[in-house]
Amino acid sequence: MYRKFDILKTEPSDRRFRPELARQLMYIGVPMGLQFSITAIGSIMLQSANNALGTACVAAFTAAMRIKMFVMCALDSLGMAMATYSGQNYGAGKQERIRKGLKGAVLVSVVFCVIVSALVFVFAKPLMLLFVEAGETEIIAEGVRYLHIEGAFYCGIGCLFLLYGLYRAVAKPGMSVVLTVISLGTRVVLAYLLSAVIGVTGIWWSVPIGWFLADVTGVVYYFIHKEKLLHF
């Protein structure tokens, strides 16, 4: 590759430190690092709220999360594809392609999530039995309830991953952080508040509510700033 592609061949001048490039990388990289840190911290806090409700709840949450991660892998990959596609077209100044790509990605995400949500809702118990012994009826029942509540709203996290990818691509990484704070912040606060009122079900409901509020914020911001947002 080095012999064939001239673009890979560098001169000493190409290897000097460039403050303007460093600033650009830090502008994009630091918020992304902060976003992932917030995600990890929020997950720990949600787990803490969950732990206070007993071992059956913890076991149900752990098993259901394994099922959820299969879905998250596909949606996260779609979000990364959106970031790559949008970033390339943003750099090339092709705003219309970004809009078309976003519409197509939303359609793919929604169709995928509707199908998966239906499958998870119908087969919640068999899916739980993959990770839990059949005799653990309390754990299975709680896990099924979790999957029925959260699994019905996978469209929320699907759209949120697309918004993350879009805002990273168009040099608005701070907006991704804002959406993460809204999503996880709402989930943590509601998890503690609702669990004190309606028990573990409150933790399950806090998740889709957080997704929905972050989606609304991201979509409203997009339509308000759409013309400026997609211009390099």
Side-chain angles (χ1 to χ4, degrees), residues 24 47 107 116 119 138 143 146 160 167 172 176 187 199 205:
Q24 186 176 1
Q47 185 68 58
L107 178 61
V116 171
L119 292 174
E138 184 181 358
Y146 172 89
L160 191 55
Y167 287 123
K172 292 291 182 182
S176 292
R187 284 152 60 183
W205 275 109

Side-chain angles (χ1 to χ4, degrees), residues 73-221:
C73 286
L75 297 177
D76 192 24
S77 297
L78 186 59
M80 288 189 287
M82 184 67 204
T84 302
Y85 171 86
S86 298
Q88 291 172 341
N89 286 284
Y90 180 70
K94 298 180 179 180
Q95 297 84 14
E96 191 56 37
R97 281 180 57 84
I98 298 177
R99 295 189 180 95
K100 290 180 179 179
L102 181 59
K103 291 177 182 178
V106 169
L107 178 61
V108 171
S109 179
V110 169
V111 170
F112 173 81
C113 289
V114 168
I115 294 173
V116 171
S117 291
L119 292 174
V120 169
F121 192 91
V122 173
F123 297 104
K125 186 173 180 179
L127 288 171
M128 285 296 298
L129 288 172
L130 294 174
F131 305 100
V132 181
E133 295 292 336
E136 301 286 353
T137 55
E138 184 181 358
I139 296 174
I140 293 172
E142 201 59 66
V144 168
R145 180 161 53 174
Y146 172 89
L147 292 174
H148 281 173
I149 292 173
E150 185 189 272
F153 297 96
Y154 284 144
C155 285
I157 188 62
C159 290
L160 191 55
F161 279 137
L162 293 180
L163 289 170
Y164 287 157
L166 174 66
Y167 287 123
R168 290 170 189 162
V170 298
K172 292 291 182 182
M175 193 59 196
S176 292
V177 177
V178 170
L179 297 183
T180 302
V181 170
I182 293 174
S183 175
L184 276 171
T186 302
R187 284 152 60 183
V188 170
V189 172
L190 287 179
Y192 282 97
L193 292 178
L194 294 179
S195 63
V197 178
I198 58 177
V200 66
T201 306
I203 298 178
W204 305 160
W205 275 109
S206 69
V207 177
I209 292 173
W211 292 343
F212 175 76
L213 292 177
D215 284 337
V216 170
T217 303
V219 171
V220 170
Y221 183 89

Side-chain angles (χ1 to χ4, degrees), residues 28-83:
I28 297 173
V30 171
M32 287 182 64
L34 180 61
Q35 179 184 354
F36 288 115
S37 298
I38 293 171
T39 301
I41 294 170
S43 298
I44 292 172
M45 295 180 71
L46 279 174
Q47 185 68 58
S48 176
N50 189 39
N51 291 347
L53 297 175
T55 55
C57 178
V58 173
F61 180 76
T62 302
M65 280 295 293
R66 291 173 181 171
I67 298 166
K68 173 186 173 182
M69 290 311 297
F70 282 104
V71 182
M72 295 300 103
C73 286
L75 297 177
D76 192 24
S77 297
L78 186 59
M80 288 189 287
M82 184 67 204

